[in-house]
Amino acid sequence: MHVTLSSFALVAAVSALPNRQGRADAATANAFTLVAHAPDPNVDLDPSVEGLVLSSAHTGAGISVAVFTDGTPRLFYQNGTAGASTLLTDSGSPPFPSSLQLQAITEPRTAGSISIGQGSPAYVGDFGTVINGIEVGTFLACPEVVPYYNQTFITLQYVYGDAAAGDVPGCAIIDLQARCATLNDLPDGSISNHHFATDVVCQ
Ligand SMILES: *[C@@H]1O[C@H](CO)[C@@H](O)[C@H](O)[C@H]1NC(C)=O
Ligand SMILES: *[C@@H]1O[C@H](CO)[C@@H](O)[C@H](O)[C@H]1NC(C)=O
């Protein structure tokens, strides 16, 4: 598994700014990790995916599958304003941006990707969960064999529209919750930049 996160980046530096709903106690941060929350135990995996963190399994140059792990989470930031933003995470040396990519609305459901290239429209909403900017839908955690490893990973997936348990056999229905973290400084020569990172509501 390809993980590139130093632990100091996980130390949350949060501030108590009012969010758009005026909740004075909502924490915000300029970076975050993503955690699976399974609100309905009847639509969960066994063992539960509750608390697993989003990381990536490297499958090629600049290409990874979005997978959940009980190991080290990836550090994400929201690039751009809500409505026109994507979720980015830096990879490699020198650091370059990888984006969270989900299938288009017309494509069959497939495991999400954390790869170079344009990210899917997405943002962290006022309740601190990831919202797809294309259309309302449901995040899933689905065991799937990743051919590169010939191994089963719990992959992040997304289904557009409402999903009931019967629609997504073998998957957990989840929320992707943002946990507050601090964006790292980038070394000279980085391909990534953090100029458009915006604060998000997080826990
Ligand atoms: C980040 O957002 C800026 C401003 O919208 C945009 O120009 C840039 O291409 C985005 N970066 C990536 C890697 O998508
Ligand atoms: C993949 O794993 C399965 C089960 O562990 C094994 O039977 C199969 O031969 C493997 N396939 C390859 C291409 O290694």
Side-chain angles (χ1 to χ4, degrees), residues 162-183:
D162 279 335
D167 304 333
V168 288
C171 297
I173 287 180
I174 59 164
D175 293 327
L176 260 187
Q177 295 182 331
R179 292 273 193 279
C180 300
T182 303
L183 206 45

Side-chain angles (χ1 to χ4, degrees), residues 36-74:
H37 168 56
D40 181 353
N42 296 316
V43 199
D44 196 357
L45 302 181
D46 184 14
S48 175
V49 299
E50 181 72 33
L52 295 182
V53 296
L54 192 62
S55 185
S56 55
H58 179 90
T59 57
I63 302 173
S64 313
V65 180
V67 298
F68 289 101
T69 171
D70 57 5
T72 309
R74 257 186 178 275

